[in-house]
Amino acid sequence: MKLSRLIIAATMLVAATLANAKDFTFTAIPDQDSSQLQLRFGKVAKYLETQLGVKVNYVPVKSYAAAVTAFRNDEVQLAWFGGLSGVQARLLVPGSEAIAQGYEDQFFKTYFIAHTSAGVKPGESFPEGIEGLTLTFGSKGSTSGRLMPEFYIREHFKRAPEEVFSRVGFSTDHSRTIALVNTGAYQIGVVNYKVWETELAEGKVDPEKVQVIWETPVYPDYQWSIRGDVDGNWGAGFSAKVKAALLGMNDPDLLASFPRQSFVEAKNSDYQPILDTAKSIGLID
Amino acid sequence: MMSIRGVSVSFVILAMVCIAFADIEVIAADPWSEFGRIGLGFITPSFFSWSELLTSLANTIAFALVGVAVAAGLGLLLAPFFHWRVVRLFCSFIRSVHELFWALLFLQVFGLHTVTGLLAIIIPFTGIFTKVYAEILEEVDQRPLNALPIKALNTGSAYIYARLAVAWPQLVIYTRYRLECGIRSSSVLGFVGLPTLGFHLETYFKQGDYSQAAGVLYLFFLIIASLRLWTHRRGLLILLLASLIWLPFELSTNPEIILRFLTHDILPQPMRDAASLLDVSVWADMFNWCVKLVQTQVGIGVWNTLLLTMISLVGSGIVTLLLYPLVSPLFFRKRWRLPGHLFLVVLRSIPELMLAFVVVVMVGPSMLPAIIALSLHNGAIIAHLIGHSTITLKLPLGAARGLNRYAYEVTPRIYRPFLAFLFYRWEVILRESAILGILGIHTLGFYVDSAFEELRFDRALFLILITALLNILVDIVSRRIRKQLRLTALPEIR
């Protein structure tokens, strides 16, 4: 009785996994509230499925690097990357292309945020008086939460962040960066401005306790990248179909899960500044 | 000549010196309110999505069962050859690398696949099984073996009937104990993305969804607590079979990826870029590459790993001595021992990484959460065993009671086994100290994690090898001390 039930359950699962074997699969970097990932990207998978006419899966990953590795090893063929992770991924997969970016990603920026008790005044130029405080980045592989802010910190102080601040942490994602500065665990945080604005609007931030003290100049960020060999596996023109589906995504509910107002065209060369910056601070050899 | 007292005092002094150098700051501004929210979560557990939870529960058990079964089989095969130096070194190496590090390596090759999870358990567990099985076989009653004619001594039949058969009950007890460790390891693999309980636990704790985190943790306790109910022989066989069916095995990895990983990704960068390895400049670059890594990461990483290890070793000792009376019949009646039992079960069944993660959420990523987690977890394991062992102690009639009994009668009598258990845990504590770096504490694991995040697998491997070497060194020192002080311990502790 018990055994038969087990066997039935197991067979059902195997059947389910076998069906997954050759599906078009995408992933996304876990850049914010990771408990909502399945919810956010499950809808996107459904949308792509209707647009492309093939089965589409979303697989969640735990880190930016895991997203890049999955893309590199052809476990996923499409990915919603950050600027840096996209550059890393496309370097590793010759022939892969950045095909679409959020409208906002053409001029993305990082917010430096501070707990009010740190006493740093907001301003137009790089914040004076943050030396010696504690700072948290986002993920180690984040563009807006690590690469760009580290670049500006090094440019200003001519020193590594570890030598400028009394403590440097990596919060692992933007939501957590905001939470850590909100509670005062860190005095300064560097965060993706879209996540900040979303969480501010949702009331997750106490404006009495945390405020934006500086915004960086703009740079290109998130994008959809696709492997070069998808046309061979899913038929000629598949890549173009995916691109059209992404650019044509106009359901506000779907766009809100990124959150972007729309998607626009992107190409690999748009991200040359990110590659140069990553090289200049030694994140890419 | 070493003495028990001398060794104890030196280690305590060493730990105090280490504390002076360690970063034990409370970083969170208001840890108590976070603590309150966590507490509230534990009173109001919620089970967000049963299908997700049960799937990850099944995965956790399946990875553990299959992994432990294969490792136990391999261990049994290797154990008779443990006296060969090459086997001993091999086992010592494969168990010196933590499951999570193995998992991170295999993730690069097999992705989020069953094979990654299984290998991450099988490899280190094989090393442990081989060692402990060999020791059990060694210590077993030698009389049946001695009764055999000389020419039969080295035959397979002699091994099976005169040694294996005699040691069998102990081997089974130990294997069952390891299964519990396997479930812990398997859950923790979720922290790097495998679909086990740790996956959701990490997510929920990080997002501050403490009710849901508590739900996952309760499920975890449930399997650990009910382990005895379903690990009898038939239950195990059925579950093992079910696990093999449950886990998806079809492998999509092509050999190219494996080849690329071995011949390109993990090669130190100067070697990878070199046109010819015969060029002297390549080796000069290699030297610089190593020096730079040692200066910027290995040095700090090793230093912090050792600080954390030494403090936590003594911390575990203190926790043990404080907690063992809770479960000892010499101090409390059965009724009063129950809460103590429960407390120790909870502490020792939560993996250190999870425990540390919870404390990091409260106080921030200094070394403090790691010290607390390691001391509590390992202390609870030893306290449980020591407390139980006091059943066999015969106190003189009219022996002192209360604090005097604790200080003058019981503690001196259990001090030798206590020290033995502690020294056996030393290398385990070191391995965990390194791995806790992935939570942001600057032990070796921090730099390993950074290397993986930067997709620099050459650095990751180099750092993992350094960690392994450190682990082997500590193992050697610990063995020396145990030998000098003539300390031995139950297999469960090794």
Side-chain angles (χ1 to χ4, degrees), chain A:
Chain A
M1 167 69 183
K2 228 194 312 181
L3 182 66
S4 62
R5 217 183 284 166
L6 258 176
I7 291 176
I8 292 171
T11 336
M12 272 163 53
L13 195 94
V14 171
T17 35
L18 283 180
N20 286 342
K22 285 278 176 206
D23 297 337
F24 185 64
T25 309
F26 77 97
T27 193
I29 50 169
D31 65 333
Q32 55 175 308
D33 191 350
S34 41
S35 59
Q36 303 298 315
L37 284 175
Q38 193 72 51
L39 203 69
R40 281 165 65 200
F41 292 106
K43 289 186 285 191
V44 179
K46 278 221 181 70
Y47 166 80
L48 288 176
E49 218 163 74
T50 53
Q51 296 292 309
L52 302 172
V54 298
K55 183 108 177 52
V56 178
N57 282 322
Y58 158 73
V59 287
V61 290
K62 270 282 181 218
S63 71
Y64 286 40
V68 175
T69 300
F71 187 78
R72 182 191 192 194
N73 290 354
D74 201 16
E75 281 182 86
V76 302
Q77 293 76 40
L78 175 74
W80 174 241
F81 282 128
L84 175 61
S85 41
V87 165
Q88 288 171 324
R90 293 191 302 272
L91 278 178
L92 290 169
V93 185
S96 57
E97 297 279 346
I99 50 172
Q101 59 184 338
Y103 174 79
E104 295 89 331
D105 290 302
Q106 306 169 84
F107 15 81
F108 214 77
K109 55 199 172 190
T110 296
Y111 282 166
F112 277 60
I113 58 174
H115 196 265
T116 38
S117 68
V120 185
K121 293 275 163 292
E124 291 291 309
S125 57
F126 190 92
E128 295 298 331
I130 61 171
E131 195 173 349
L133 301 180
T134 60
L135 169 121
T136 183
F137 287 114
S139 162
K140 288 170 182 168
S142 166
T143 308
S144 52
R146 160 93 190 266
L147 176 69
M148 297 314 292
E150 176 163 344
F151 171 76
Y152 285 110
I153 290 166
R154 281 176 185 266
E155 194 188 52
H156 186 84
F157 292 104
K158 313 279 179 244
R159 274 177 293 156
E162 291 77 16
E163 294 161 23
V164 173
F165 298 95
S166 59
R167 180 185 289 280
V168 172
F170 292 93
S171 72
T172 71
D173 69 43
H174 299 296
S175 308
R176 187 121 180 90
T177 301
I178 297 172
L180 286 174
V181 180
N182 200 33
T183 61
Y186 284 92
Q187 293 167 298
I188 310 286
V190 285
V191 63
N192 168 327
Y193 87 103
K194 286 297 286 184
V195 177
W196 167 266
E197 283 176 356
T198 312
E199 302 220 337
L200 192 67
E202 287 170 357
K204 289 185 185 166
V205 191
D206 182 352
E208 296 286 304
K209 284 193 193 157
V210 199
Q211 54 180 345
V212 177
I213 52 167
W214 184 53
E215 50 178 83
T216 62
V218 297
Y219 52 85
D221 205 345
Y222 293 71
Q223 87 297 142
W224 287 101
S225 291
I226 194 164
R227 286 180 62 94
D229 52 13
V230 286
D231 285 5
N233 297 330
W234 274 273
F238 188 77
S239 177
K241 253 170 96 180
V242 175
K243 182 171 181 170
L246 292 170
L247 296 179
M249 194 190 292
N250 48 23
D251 178 353
D253 184 39
L254 285 181
L255 289 166
S257 54
F258 289 93
R260 297 294 185 266
Q261 68 175 66
S262 63
F263 286 111
V264 298
E265 286 202 48
K267 52 188 185 305
N268 290 359
S269 59
D270 293 343
Y271 292 89
Q272 189 62 38
I274 296 292
L275 177 60
D276 296 341
T277 312
K279 282 188 173 168
S280 79
I281 69 168
L283 274 177
I284 291 180
D285 293 316

Side-chain angles (χ1 to χ4, degrees), chain B residues 9-31:
Chain B
V9 171
S10 332
F11 271 78
V12 171
I13 292 176
L14 197 59
M16 283 177 355
V17 174
C18 288
I19 284 192
F21 285 105
D23 164 23
I24 49 170
E25 197 184 337
V26 174
I27 300 161
D30 190 7

